[in-house]
Amino acid sequence: MPSTRRSRFYVAAQFLTAAALVLTVGFRAMSWLSIAMILAGFVLGIAAIASIRWSQLSVLPDVGQSARLVTSGPYRWIRHPMYMGLMLLTAGCMVSPFDA
């Protein structure tokens, strides 16, 4: 599989599994831990997106021709803050059924 096709496959699989997890949790009463993790993941993801120029933003992990290394915002401390935000968000959904 070529690199771009493989990248698209991995991104699609990531979004499908995250969406399936989030959609199966439902909107019932959640604990404060779950809500805090979900909000932290959402805020981290938005902060990561805000740190990147819109022209550089891509969901594919492939490095573009005019790409530059981002070292501001959450990228100062975390190398992949968008992935970390997604992991926090989905972890909050996973914790929800166990701590309610």
Side-chain angles (χ1 to χ4, degrees):
M1 209 184 293
S3 177
T4 303
R5 276 185 59 198
R6 188 176 316 131
S7 295
R8 288 185 179 142
F9 171 77
Y10 289 141
V11 169
Q14 169 189 324
F15 278 109
L16 287 173
T17 54
L21 179 63
V22 169
L23 293 174
T24 57
V25 169
F27 293 101
R28 58 179 173 70
M30 291 186 173
S31 72
W32 288 106
L33 175 63
S34 295
I35 292 170
M37 290 174 74
I38 290 168
L39 287 176
F42 185 75
V43 168
L44 181 59
I46 295 299
I49 290 170
S51 297
I52 300 175
R53 293 186 310 195
W54 285 105
S55 62
Q56 298 290 338
L57 187 62
S58 173
V59 295
L60 297 178
D62 300 327
V63 179
Q65 292 266 339
S66 62
R68 65 177 181 80
L69 181 64
V70 178
T71 58
S72 61
Y75 288 93
R76 189 174 326 157
W77 300 288
I78 304 170
R79 186 65 265 151
H80 300 288
M82 282 189 261
Y83 287 126
M84 184 67 183
L86 183 62
M87 288 190 314
L88 273 171
L89 191 141
T90 54
C93 292
M94 289 173 56
V95 167
S96 178
F98 300 108
D99 64 1

